[in-house]
Each structure stands twice: as C-alpha cells, then as structure tokens.
Amino acid sequence: MVLGKEEKSPEEVMEGGGEENEPMIDKTLEVQVVPAQTEELEVVVENPDSANPIIKTKIKTKEGDGLYEERSTSSASDDDQGISLLQGDGEPDQGETSLSILMQVMLPFLVAGLGMVGAGLVLDLVQHWEVFKVVSELFIMVPALLGLKGNLEMTLASRLSTHANLGHLDKREECISMIIGNLALIQCQAIVVGFLASVAAVVMGWIPEGLFDIIHALLLCASALVTASLASFILGVIMVGVILFSRKCNINPDNVATPIAASLGDLTTLGLLAWIASVLYASKNTDQWLSPVIVVGYILSLPLWVWLASRNKHTKEVLYSGWTPVISAMMISSLGGLILDYTVSSYKGIAVFQPVINGVGGNLVAVQASRISTALHAAAPLGKMPKFVTNLCINPISAFCARVGHPRTARVLLLLVVPGHLVFMYTISYLKAGHTSLTPIFVVTYLLAAFLQVAILLYVAHVMVHYMWKASIDPDNSAIPYLTALGDLLGTGLLAMAFHFLYVVGDRDADVGD
C-alpha cells in the first residue's frame, strides 16, 4: 500500500485487531495524508464495513493562491468522475437536479433583482441632481464602479466558493488567513480600479468637449476612490459571511453568493457615489482642499494593502497576476458608461432600467461561470482539460440544448430571465418610478433585449471559462470580471437600441425621448 503499512482486511480494521492495535473506525470514511514535496497523497477508504470496500487515492497539488488541485486515481475513470460531478448523475446527495438548482438560485436572484431595482430608482433620482448635470462624467463612471461587484466581490465570492466546496474553509486558522488576505487584496484592487475609472471618465469627457476642469477631475477621482474602497470592504465582509453560512447550511455557495453580491453591490455603490459626489460638489467652493486630501490619502495607503496581500499565501499570486482582467473589465464597462452618458440626455427613461438589465445579466452569468470553474477545479489540474470536455468552442445549440451538464444549468438560468424582468419592471411601475410607461411594445422589446443579452453571456461564459482553464488561467480570478463587464456593455448597448427603436416606431409618449 502507498503508506508503507501492512494491509489489513476490512474485518481486521473494524475489529481493531493486529499488533499495532489501530483504533476502531466508526465512520464511513477514513482519510490519511502523506506529503510529497508540493503534493499531498490522500487515501480514502469508503464503506470499510462492507464486503467490498472502495479504496480511492487523490493527489492534491498546491497552487500559489493556496488552492489545491485534485487528481483522482480511483478505480473510476476521470471521464466517469467528471461526468458524475458536472451532470449530477451520481448518488442523490452528490448531484443537483434542475429543480434544486432553480430553487437555490431563484430566491437570491429575486432579492438581487430588487436590489438592482433600488439602484435603478437611485440613478433615476440622482440624474436630476445638480452635480450629475454639471459633472456629467459621473455617468461614465457608473457602469465601471457598479462593475466592481463583478471585478472584485463576485470574483471573491467565486474564489471562496471554490475553496468552500473543496473543504479548505473548514480549518479555522486557514479560513481566517484566507479571509484577511482576500479583504486586503480587494482593497488594493478597489483603490487602483477606482482611480483608473475616474481617469477614464475624465479623458472620455474631455476628448469630445476639449475642456479640462481640474476641480471636476479631483471631484471625480475622490468620489471614485471613496466609493470603491467603502463598497468593496462592506460587500467583501458580507460575502465572507454568506459563504460561511451557506457552508454550514449545506447550500452550494456557487448558487447564492454571487447573486447576493449583485443584490447589494449596485445599490450600495450607486448610493455611495451619489452621496459622496454631492458632498464634495457642495464643498468645492469652501473646502477645495478636501478632494485632493482624499486622493493623496488613498494613494499613500495603497502600499499597506499591497504589503498585506503579498504576505498572504492565498492572495500573493492573484496580487501579481490578477490585474489584467480587472483593469480590462473596467475599460469595457467604461465604454458602456460612455453609451449611457450620451443616451441618458435623450432618453430619460433609460436610467431606471440600466442597473437592472446589467445587473441581471451579470448575476446569472456569474453563477454559471462559478459553477463551471468549481467543477473544473474538482475534476482536473489547472491547464489540463478533463476527458469529457472534447471541444472548447462548442456550437450554441449544444451549449443550451444538451440534456445534462452545464447546458442544463444554462437553461435553468435562461428560464429566470423573462419572469424575473417582469417582476422587476412592474415593481418599478408600481412605485411610480422612471419615465417610461409599460406599453405592450415596450415590454416585448425590453424582454427581447434582456433575453438576448443573457443568452450571449451564458454562451461566452462556457467558452471563456474552458479556454482559460486550458491556458492555465484560473477562471475564478479572471472570468467573472470579463463577463460582467461584457454584460454591462451589451446591456447598455441593447437597452439604448431598444429605446431608439421605440422612439422610431412611435412609442414616444412623454416618457420616451422627451
């Protein structure tokens, strides 16, 4: 046997016999670990009291971010294990049915949607504030800052959900170290992304007008830094609590963590941005020193967060390698903000729906990406595709119509789009918010844009996550930022096209375009 001990029959083990007088096994699972350089060999004896006990071994290779990649060497083939894991065709407690996925996702999805409705109501209200009228570049920053939940909080949720599903959060010391390191990491990322988002907003606003206002630039930068830092800390702490609670309740964190991040992320971030920007705008004539001091203070605090994250084994690698997706996603979201800045002046009604359509798309695709990533982590080492993944770029029909596996989850998520948006639209209408009447042609056009957005995102997620895995890029750190940013761009673009179409066909009551 691998462990170098004399092998015993299951009966001898149960009776505690033998010269070594080994303790009685009173559980259905016996685990022994032998370190081998950077790997750990785990031997699992299942059903030792049965006539034919099953012996499995797993080689766990430790990665730079503290995540273990598992390779199973049991009697079952990789194909069988992976298909059982991804499709849920094993024992009842090992897989998920479509109904169980729907039940776990639906409630957080609806709660998340109501949070996005709240964000839409806030944006619909603050678009009339003086600071948003004078400093219109704030609209360019809105998708980029709201996208922080995809860049940071959802990525954190996906990363910790993978750790939770693999059992790495069960040890108290390991759990505390992982939490502290990740909170320091997202503070570092939030400061950098907030600063770059404000720079992008200043540049995109300056190019068409040809005017540069240093007071407005400092106000944008200070608002973005405070908003990004506070929102990321608050949501990061909530994410940690949600994942730990889900683990205790035997709920898959992949299904609930990212929707809850979405539910609180938009409302919290947009509320903070509007409040901080209005305070700084009100003090620009009396306390002109306030914005520069905030900017300098945050820049000086950045080395502290870098130092804390670099000393933690769980975040050291992500700190150095995780910037490309975060910054790229911020730039993609800023393009969506540029579209919003141009269209909100012509179509006032777009403001209340923009956080909703963007949030729903990012919410659903994050669930799918997180689930695929977790399955790959459990089925194969990073960089090696499981045998059951035969083609990275599958056709859209297979991505949605296959009977089992991830296409089944994609169908469940698509099933939520139309009823979810109907609930959110009529909630907005019931609250008498926005500038748009829910005419039949508006409802159909809006739902078509929303459904198309989510369908594109789910297909891109399937291809992107598998491609990243084959390229030895951890999708937990890289996929969700790209996908939520693409969701922002697609959502804002499709929404603008929908409003323009309604204007062209004559649905131009006092709400659309006037």
Side-chain angles (χ1 to χ4, degrees):
M1 196 170 178
V2 176
L3 300 178
K5 290 184 179 181
E6 180 183 354
E7 295 187 34
K8 298 184 179 183
S9 67
E11 291 78 13
E12 290 176 331
V13 174
M14 291 298 298
E15 295 172 1
E19 297 177 358
E20 296 177 7
N21 194 26
E22 295 183 1
M24 176 181 288
I25 298 177
D26 56 357
K27 297 182 180 179
T28 61
L29 190 68
E30 177 185 339
V31 180
Q32 299 182 17
V33 179
V34 173
Q37 295 179 354
T38 60
E39 295 183 341
E40 291 185 0
L41 176 64
E42 186 176 289
V43 181
V44 181
V45 181
E46 295 183 354
N47 301 323
D49 53 346
S50 66
N52 297 307
I54 301 174
I55 300 177
K56 297 181 179 180
T57 62
K58 292 182 180 179
I59 299 176
K60 303 171 69 179
T61 305
K62 190 174 182 182
E63 299 293 328
D65 62 349
L67 185 67
Y68 285 91
E69 301 294 344
E70 298 188 358
R71 286 173 285 160
S72 175
T73 59
S74 67
S75 57
S77 67
D78 289 343
D79 230 4
D80 295 335
Q81 295 177 51
I83 292 175
S84 176
L85 173 68
L86 299 180
Q87 299 177 356
D89 288 337
E91 297 298 325
D93 59 341
Q94 293 176 347
E96 292 177 296
T97 64
S98 296
L99 182 61
S100 67
I101 295 172
L102 180 63
M103 291 297 101
Q104 289 188 30
V105 173
M106 185 171 60
L107 181 59
F109 169 74
L110 292 176
V111 173
L114 294 178
M116 297 163 200
V117 169
L121 298 179
V122 172
L123 184 59
D124 183 57
L125 174 66
V126 301
Q127 69 173 323
H128 304 294
W129 289 10
E130 184 179 1
V131 62
F132 279 82
K133 291 181 178 179
V134 176
V135 191
S136 64
E137 292 86 355
L138 285 168
F139 285 110
I140 300 177
M141 289 202 311
V142 166
L145 291 180
L146 295 188
L148 283 175
K149 72 180 187 298
N151 295 343
L152 306 182
E153 282 77 37
M154 284 185 175
T155 303
L156 170 66
S158 177
R159 195 160 54 236
L160 291 183
S161 294
T162 298
H163 282 291
N165 283 325
L166 296 180
H168 300 155
L169 297 182
D170 295 341
K171 295 182 179 180
R172 182 181 179 87
E173 297 79 9
E174 196 80 0
C175 179
I176 293 175
S177 173
M178 204 172 296
I179 291 170
I180 293 176
N182 277 282
L183 289 179
L185 174 65
I186 63 172
Q187 275 299 302
C188 177
Q189 292 177 324
I191 293 173
V192 173
V193 172
F195 178 78
L196 293 179
S198 65
V199 171
V202 170
V203 172
M204 290 181 182
W206 167 60
I207 290 176
E209 298 178 2
L211 298 175
F212 178 78
D213 190 326
I214 186 64
I215 302 298
H216 289 180
L218 289 172
L219 184 147
L220 288 168
C221 190
S223 301
L225 286 171
V226 178
T227 300
S229 176
L230 289 181
S232 295
F233 177 75
I234 295 170
L235 295 172
V237 171
I238 293 174
M239 281 303 92
V240 169
V242 167
I243 291 170
L244 293 179
F245 180 76
S246 299
R247 180 71 174 169
K248 295 293 183 182
C249 297
N250 200 28
I251 298 173
N252 187 350
D254 283 322
N255 293 336
V256 299
T258 50
I260 291 178
S263 68
L264 300 174
D266 287 348
L267 184 59
T268 302
T269 303
L270 193 53
L272 282 171
L273 176 64
W275 173 62
I276 294 166
S278 62
V279 170
L280 294 177
Y281 181 77
S283 63
K284 69 182 181 67
N285 294 324
T286 56
D287 300 314
Q288 293 187 357
W289 54 268
L290 187 57
S291 292
V293 167
I294 291 175
V295 173
V296 172
Y298 270 102
I299 292 176
L300 291 178
S301 71
L302 185 59
L304 171 63
W305 302 115
V306 172
W307 179 75
L308 288 174
S310 64
R311 287 174 56 86
N312 191 290
K313 64 180 181 179
H314 303 292
T315 56
K316 183 177 181 179
E317 182 178 343
V318 181
L319 176 66
Y320 297 119
S321 63
W323 290 106
T324 300
V326 170
I327 295 175
S328 300
M330 183 273 299
M331 296 302 298
I332 297 172
S333 295
S334 296
L335 294 177
L338 191 60
I339 297 174
L340 178 64
D341 187 30
Y342 279 109
T343 55
V344 76
S345 58
S346 301
Y347 308 113
K348 297 295 183 184
I350 201 173
V352 73
F353 292 104
Q354 188 266 349
V356 178
I357 190 171
N358 288 0
V360 168
N363 179 356
L364 294 178
V365 76
V367 172
Q368 180 75 331
S370 184
R371 290 175 61 88
I372 297 175
S373 177
T374 296
L376 289 173
H377 272 291
L382 187 65
K384 178 183 178 182
M385 299 303 298
K387 294 180 181 178
F388 50 84
V389 179
T390 58
N391 191 2
L392 293 182
C393 189
I394 63 174
N395 63 73
I397 295 177
S398 300
F400 293 102
C401 299
R403 296 183 58 187
V404 290
H406 299 306
R408 181 187 62 179
T409 307
R411 292 195 300 272
V412 172
L413 298 176
L414 277 176
L415 187 65
L416 292 171
V417 175
V418 171
H421 273 294
L422 287 173
V423 170
F424 306 146
M425 280 194 297
Y426 282 98
T427 300
I428 293 172
S429 177
Y430 177 77
L431 296 175
K432 295 180 172 58
H435 300 73
T436 304
S437 300
L438 298 185
T439 60
I441 189 173
F442 172 82
V443 172
V444 172
T445 304
Y446 177 83
L447 290 178
L448 181 61
F451 189 87
L452 182 61
Q453 176 212 26
V454 175
I456 294 173
L457 288 175
L458 291 175
Y459 176 72
V460 172
H462 189 99
V463 175
M464 179 181 290
V465 172
H466 286 95
Y467 173 80
M468 286 183 171
W469 187 266
K470 185 176 182 180
S472 299
I473 300 172
D474 191 345
D476 276 334
N477 301 327
S478 303
I480 291 180
Y482 285 119
L483 292 169
T484 53
L486 180 61
D488 290 343
L489 183 59
L490 280 174
T492 307
L494 290 171
L495 193 59
M497 293 171 61
F499 270 79
H500 185 68
F501 170 77
L502 291 169
Y503 184 79
V504 169
V505 300
D507 190 6
R508 52 176 88 172
D509 53 10
D511 311 331
V512 179
D514 293 335

PDB file of all heavy atoms in Angstrom, residues 88-112:
ATOM      1  N   GLY A  88     -24.378  15.555 -12.295  1.00  0.00           N
ATOM      2  CA  GLY A  88     -25.206  15.204 -11.156  1.00  0.00           C
ATOM      3  C   GLY A  88     -25.914  13.881 -11.333  1.00  0.00           C
ATOM      4  O   GLY A  88     -27.044  13.715 -10.882  1.00  0.00           O
ATOM      5  N   ASP A  89     -25.287  12.932 -12.002  1.00  0.00           N
ATOM      6  CA  ASP A  89     -25.931  11.662 -12.238  1.00  0.00           C
ATOM      7  C   ASP A  89     -25.507  10.606 -11.228  1.00  0.00           C
ATOM      8  O   ASP A  89     -25.788   9.433 -11.395  1.00  0.00           O
ATOM      9  CB  ASP A  89     -25.601  11.153 -13.662  1.00  0.00           C
ATOM     10  CG  ASP A  89     -26.317  11.973 -14.712  1.00  0.00           C
ATOM     11  OD1 ASP A  89     -27.332  12.600 -14.395  1.00  0.00           O
ATOM     12  OD2 ASP A  89     -25.837  11.972 -15.850  1.00  0.00           O
ATOM     13  N   GLY A  90     -24.821  11.012 -10.182  1.00  0.00           N
ATOM     14  CA  GLY A  90     -24.396  10.059  -9.190  1.00  0.00           C
ATOM     15  C   GLY A  90     -25.463   9.840  -8.146  1.00  0.00           C
ATOM     16  O   GLY A  90     -26.650   9.833  -8.390  1.00  0.00           O
ATOM     17  N   GLU A  91     -25.022   9.624  -6.906  1.00  0.00           N
ATOM     18  CA  GLU A  91     -25.970   9.432  -5.818  1.00  0.00           C
ATOM     19  C   GLU A  91     -26.764  10.705  -5.587  1.00  0.00           C
ATOM     20  O   GLU A  91     -26.327  11.784  -5.936  1.00  0.00           O
ATOM     21  CB  GLU A  91     -25.208   9.042  -4.548  1.00  0.00           C
ATOM     22  CG  GLU A  91     -24.470   7.724  -4.674  1.00  0.00           C
ATOM     23  CD  GLU A  91     -25.399   6.553  -4.932  1.00  0.00           C
ATOM     24  OE1 GLU A  91     -26.517   6.547  -4.402  1.00  0.00           O
ATOM     25  OE2 GLU A  91     -25.019   5.645  -5.682  1.00  0.00           O
ATOM     26  N   PRO A  92     -27.925  10.625  -4.950  1.00  0.00           N
ATOM     27  CA  PRO A  92     -28.747  11.811  -4.749  1.00  0.00           C
ATOM     28  C   PRO A  92     -28.049  12.911  -4.000  1.00  0.00           C
ATOM     29  O   PRO A  92     -28.275  14.084  -4.257  1.00  0.00           O
ATOM     30  CB  PRO A  92     -29.952  11.247  -3.962  1.00  0.00           C
ATOM     31  CG  PRO A  92     -30.016   9.806  -4.342  1.00  0.00           C
ATOM     32  CD  PRO A  92     -28.609   9.390  -4.579  1.00  0.00           C
ATOM     33  N   ASP A  93     -27.177  12.581  -3.067  1.00  0.00           N
ATOM     34  CA  ASP A  93     -26.515  13.626  -2.300  1.00  0.00           C
ATOM     35  C   ASP A  93     -25.257  14.121  -2.990  1.00  0.00           C
ATOM     36  O   ASP A  93     -24.581  14.987  -2.477  1.00  0.00           O
ATOM     37  CB  ASP A  93     -26.152  13.110  -0.887  1.00  0.00           C
ATOM     38  CG  ASP A  93     -25.238  11.899  -0.944  1.00  0.00           C
ATOM     39  OD1 ASP A  93     -25.180  11.265  -2.014  1.00  0.00           O
ATOM     40  OD2 ASP A  93     -24.609  11.592   0.081  1.00  0.00           O
ATOM     41  N   GLN A  94     -24.918  13.572  -4.170  1.00  0.00           N
ATOM     42  CA  GLN A  94     -23.716  14.004  -4.862  1.00  0.00           C
ATOM     43  C   GLN A  94     -24.016  14.921  -6.038  1.00  0.00           C
ATOM     44  O   GLN A  94     -23.120  15.545  -6.566  1.00  0.00           O
ATOM     45  CB  GLN A  94     -22.946  12.781  -5.371  1.00  0.00           C
ATOM     46  CG  GLN A  94     -22.381  11.932  -4.236  1.00  0.00           C
ATOM     47  CD  GLN A  94     -21.707  10.694  -4.764  1.00  0.00           C
ATOM     48  OE1 GLN A  94     -21.852  10.339  -5.930  1.00  0.00           O
ATOM     49  NE2 GLN A  94     -20.960  10.025  -3.914  1.00  0.00           N
ATOM     50  N   GLY A  95     -25.275  14.981  -6.487  1.00  0.00           N
ATOM     51  CA  GLY A  95     -25.603  15.777  -7.658  1.00  0.00           C
ATOM     52  C   GLY A  95     -26.750  16.724  -7.372  1.00  0.00           C
ATOM     53  O   GLY A  95     -27.380  16.674  -6.319  1.00  0.00           O
ATOM     54  N   GLU A  96     -27.022  17.566  -8.352  1.00  0.00           N
ATOM     55  CA  GLU A  96     -28.101  18.533  -8.238  1.00  0.00           C
ATOM     56  C   GLU A  96     -29.061  18.338  -9.401  1.00  0.00           C
ATOM     57  O   GLU A  96     -28.639  18.174 -10.545  1.00  0.00           O
ATOM     58  CB  GLU A  96     -27.553  19.962  -8.274  1.00  0.00           C
ATOM     59  CG  GLU A  96     -26.726  20.341  -7.071  1.00  0.00           C
ATOM     60  CD  GLU A  96     -26.161  21.745  -7.216  1.00  0.00           C
ATOM     61  OE1 GLU A  96     -25.358  21.947  -8.141  1.00  0.00           O
ATOM     62  OE2 GLU A  96     -26.533  22.624  -6.424  1.00  0.00           O
ATOM     63  N   THR A  97     -30.330  18.363  -9.114  1.00  0.00           N
ATOM     64  CA  THR A  97     -31.330  18.326 -10.168  1.00  0.00           C
ATOM     65  C   THR A  97     -31.602  19.744 -10.648  1.00  0.00           C
ATOM     66  O   THR A  97     -31.228  20.727  -9.993  1.00  0.00           O
ATOM     67  CB  THR A  97     -32.628  17.706  -9.641  1.00  0.00           C
ATOM     68  OG1 THR A  97     -33.172  18.558  -8.617  1.00  0.00           O
ATOM     69  CG2 THR A  97     -32.375  16.312  -9.064  1.00  0.00           C
ATOM     70  N   SER A  98     -32.281  19.853 -11.792  1.00  0.00           N
ATOM     71  CA  SER A  98     -32.640  21.172 -12.311  1.00  0.00           C
ATOM     72  C   SER A  98     -33.506  21.921 -11.313  1.00  0.00           C
ATOM     73  O   SER A  98     -33.368  23.128 -11.127  1.00  0.00           O
ATOM     74  CB  SER A  98     -33.372  21.029 -13.653  1.00  0.00           C
ATOM     75  OG  SER A  98     -32.532  20.460 -14.627  1.00  0.00           O
ATOM     76  N   LEU A  99     -34.401  21.191 -10.654  1.00  0.00           N
ATOM     77  CA  LEU A  99     -35.286  21.827  -9.676  1.00  0.00           C
ATOM     78  C   LEU A  99     -34.510  22.360  -8.483  1.00  0.00           C
ATOM     79  O   LEU A  99     -34.772  23.465  -8.002  1.00  0.00           O
ATOM     80  CB  LEU A  99     -36.355  20.831  -9.211  1.00  0.00           C
ATOM     81  CG  LEU A  99     -37.377  21.371  -8.212  1.00  0.00           C
ATOM     82  CD1 LEU A  99     -38.159  22.535  -8.825  1.00  0.00           C
ATOM     83  CD2 LEU A  99     -38.321  20.265  -7.758  1.00  0.00           C
ATOM     84  N   SER A 100     -33.523  21.583  -8.002  1.00  0.00           N
ATOM     85  CA  SER A 100     -32.742  22.044  -6.848  1.00  0.00           C
ATOM     86  C   SER A 100     -31.916  23.271  -7.211  1.00  0.00           C
ATOM     87  O   SER A 100     -31.780  24.202  -6.409  1.00  0.00           O
ATOM     88  CB  SER A 100     -31.833  20.920  -6.340  1.00  0.00           C
ATOM     89  OG  SER A 100     -30.822  20.621  -7.290  1.00  0.00           O
ATOM     90  N   ILE A 101     -31.366  23.283  -8.442  1.00  0.00           N
ATOM     91  CA  ILE A 101     -30.615  24.464  -8.887  1.00  0.00           C
ATOM     92  C   ILE A 101     -31.541  25.673  -8.950  1.00  0.00           C
ATOM     93  O   ILE A 101     -31.208  26.768  -8.483  1.00  0.00           O
ATOM     94  CB  ILE A 101     -29.976  24.210 -10.265  1.00  0.00           C
ATOM     95  CG1 ILE A 101     -28.923  23.098 -10.168  1.00  0.00           C
ATOM     96  CG2 ILE A 101     -29.313  25.486 -10.795  1.00  0.00           C
ATOM     97  CD1 ILE A 101     -28.382  22.647 -11.519  1.00  0.00           C
ATOM     98  N   LEU A 102     -32.744  25.470  -9.529  1.00  0.00           N
ATOM     99  CA  LEU A 102     -33.710  26.562  -9.648  1.00  0.00           C
ATOM    100  C   LEU A 102     -34.104  27.104  -8.282  1.00  0.00           C
ATOM    101  O   LEU A 102     -34.161  28.325  -8.072  1.00  0.00           O
ATOM    102  CB  LEU A 102     -34.949  26.076 -10.404  1.00  0.00           C
ATOM    103  CG  LEU A 102     -36.063  27.096 -10.623  1.00  0.00           C
ATOM    104  CD1 LEU A 102     -35.566  28.238 -11.496  1.00  0.00           C
ATOM    105  CD2 LEU A 102     -37.285  26.432 -11.246  1.00  0.00           C
ATOM    106  N   MET A 103     -34.357  26.206  -7.333  1.00  0.00           N
ATOM    107  CA  MET A 103     -34.783  26.647  -6.007  1.00  0.00           C
ATOM    108  C   MET A 103     -33.681  27.410  -5.277  1.00  0.00           C
ATOM    109  O   MET A 103     -33.940  28.399  -4.589  1.00  0.00           O
ATOM    110  CB  MET A 103     -35.212  25.427  -5.164  1.00  0.00           C
ATOM    111  CG  MET A 103     -36.493  24.754  -5.628  1.00  0.00           C
ATOM    112  SD  MET A 103     -37.947  25.834  -5.525  1.00  0.00           S
ATOM    113  CE  MET A 103     -38.116  26.354  -7.228  1.00  0.00           C
ATOM    114  N   GLN A 104     -32.431  26.953  -5.443  1.00  0.00           N
ATOM    115  CA  GLN A 104     -31.326  27.623  -4.761  1.00  0.00           C
ATOM    116  C   GLN A 104     -31.011  28.974  -5.391  1.00  0.00           C
ATOM    117  O   GLN A 104     -30.632  29.915  -4.700  1.00  0.00           O
ATOM    118  CB  GLN A 104     -30.075  26.740  -4.779  1.00  0.00           C
ATOM    119  CG  GLN A 104     -30.171  25.519  -3.883  1.00  0.00           C
ATOM    120  CD  GLN A 104     -28.851  24.778  -3.771  1.00  0.00           C
ATOM    121  OE1 GLN A 104     -27.785  25.371  -3.857  1.00  0.00           O
ATOM    122  NE2 GLN A 104     -28.918  23.469  -3.573  1.00  0.00           N
ATOM    123  N   VAL A 105     -31.172  29.081  -6.719  1.00  0.00           N
ATOM    124  CA  VAL A 105     -30.806  30.316  -7.413  1.00  0.00           C
ATOM    125  C   VAL A 105     -31.937  31.348  -7.373  1.00  0.00           C
ATOM    126  O   VAL A 105     -31.675  32.553  -7.316  1.00  0.00           O
ATOM    127  CB  VAL A 105     -30.417  30.005  -8.880  1.00  0.00           C
ATOM    128  CG1 VAL A 105     -30.202  31.290  -9.670  1.00  0.00           C
ATOM    129  CG2 VAL A 105     -29.165  29.148  -8.922  1.00  0.00           C
ATOM    130  N   MET A 106     -33.201  30.886  -7.361  1.00  0.00           N
ATOM    131  CA  MET A 106     -34.320  31.787  -7.588  1.00  0.00           C
ATOM    132  C   MET A 106     -34.453  32.859  -6.502  1.00  0.00           C
ATOM    133  O   MET A 106     -34.589  34.043  -6.809  1.00  0.00           O
ATOM    134  CB  MET A 106     -35.630  31.001  -7.691  1.00  0.00           C
ATOM    135  CG  MET A 106     -36.835  31.880  -8.040  1.00  0.00           C
ATOM    136  SD  MET A 106     -38.292  30.898  -8.413  1.00  0.00           S
ATOM    137  CE  MET A 106     -38.515  30.008  -6.872  1.00  0.00           C
ATOM    138  N   LEU A 107     -34.420  32.456  -5.237  1.00  0.00           N
ATOM    139  CA  LEU A 107     -34.607  33.434  -4.169  1.00  0.00           C
ATOM    140  C   LEU A 107     -33.493  34.476  -4.144  1.00  0.00           C
ATOM    141  O   LEU A 107     -33.781  35.692  -4.129  1.00  0.00           O
ATOM    142  CB  LEU A 107     -34.732  32.727  -2.816  1.00  0.00           C
ATOM    143  CG  LEU A 107     -34.959  33.644  -1.605  1.00  0.00           C
ATOM    144  CD1 LEU A 107     -36.235  34.462  -1.789  1.00  0.00           C
ATOM    145  CD2 LEU A 107     -35.013  32.829  -0.314  1.00  0.00           C
ATOM    146  N   PRO A 108     -32.203  34.064  -4.159  1.00  0.00           N
ATOM    147  CA  PRO A 108     -31.157  35.098  -4.234  1.00  0.00           C
ATOM    148  C   PRO A 108     -31.262  35.952  -5.490  1.00  0.00           C
ATOM    149  O   PRO A 108     -30.965  37.148  -5.454  1.00  0.00           O
ATOM    150  CB  PRO A 108     -29.853  34.274  -4.237  1.00  0.00           C
ATOM    151  CG  PRO A 108     -30.209  32.971  -3.632  1.00  0.00           C
ATOM    152  CD  PRO A 108     -31.627  32.717  -4.021  1.00  0.00           C
ATOM    153  N   PHE A 109     -31.707  35.346  -6.601  1.00  0.00           N
ATOM    154  CA  PHE A 109     -31.859  36.102  -7.845  1.00  0.00           C
ATOM    155  C   PHE A 109     -32.924  37.193  -7.701  1.00  0.00           C
ATOM    156  O   PHE A 109     -32.718  38.339  -8.128  1.00  0.00           O
ATOM    157  CB  PHE A 109     -32.235  35.145  -8.978  1.00  0.00           C
ATOM    158  CG  PHE A 109     -32.665  35.832 -10.241  1.00  0.00           C
ATOM    159  CD1 PHE A 109     -31.744  36.450 -11.064  1.00  0.00           C
ATOM    160  CD2 PHE A 109     -33.998  35.861 -10.609  1.00  0.00           C
ATOM    161  CE1 PHE A 109     -32.140  37.086 -12.241  1.00  0.00           C
ATOM    162  CE2 PHE A 109     -34.408  36.480 -11.777  1.00  0.00           C
ATOM    163  CZ  PHE A 109     -33.472  37.092 -12.587  1.00  0.00           C
ATOM    164  N   LEU A 110     -34.045  36.834  -7.101  1.00  0.00           N
ATOM    165  CA  LEU A 110     -35.107  37.831  -6.921  1.00  0.00           C
ATOM    166  C   LEU A 110     -34.686  38.921  -5.941  1.00  0.00           C
ATOM    167  O   LEU A 110     -34.955  40.107  -6.154  1.00  0.00           O
ATOM    168  CB  LEU A 110     -36.386  37.140  -6.430  1.00  0.00           C
ATOM    169  CG  LEU A 110     -37.065  36.220  -7.445  1.00  0.00           C
ATOM    170  CD1 LEU A 110     -38.257  35.509  -6.809  1.00  0.00           C
ATOM    171  CD2 LEU A 110     -37.497  37.000  -8.681  1.00  0.00           C
ATOM    172  N   VAL A 111     -34.015  38.517  -4.861  1.00  0.00           N
ATOM    173  CA  VAL A 111     -33.508  39.515  -3.905  1.00  0.00           C
ATOM    174  C   VAL A 111     -32.494  40.427  -4.590  1.00  0.00           C
ATOM    175  O   VAL A 111     -32.511  41.650  -4.417  1.00  0.00           O
ATOM    176  CB  VAL A 111     -32.884  38.820  -2.678  1.00  0.00           C
ATOM    177  CG1 VAL A 111     -32.213  39.833  -1.762  1.00  0.00           C
ATOM    178  CG2 VAL A 111     -33.941  38.037  -1.912  1.00  0.00           C
ATOM    179  N   ALA A 112     -31.608  39.823  -5.404  1.00  0.00           N
ATOM    180  CA  ALA A 112     -30.622  40.608  -6.138  1.00  0.00           C
ATOM    181  C   ALA A 112     -31.313  41.572  -7.090  1.00  0.00           C
ATOM    182  O   ALA A 112     -30.931  42.738  -7.217  1.00  0.00           O
ATOM    183  CB  ALA A 112     -29.686  39.686  -6.913  1.00  0.00           C
TER     184      ALA A 112
END
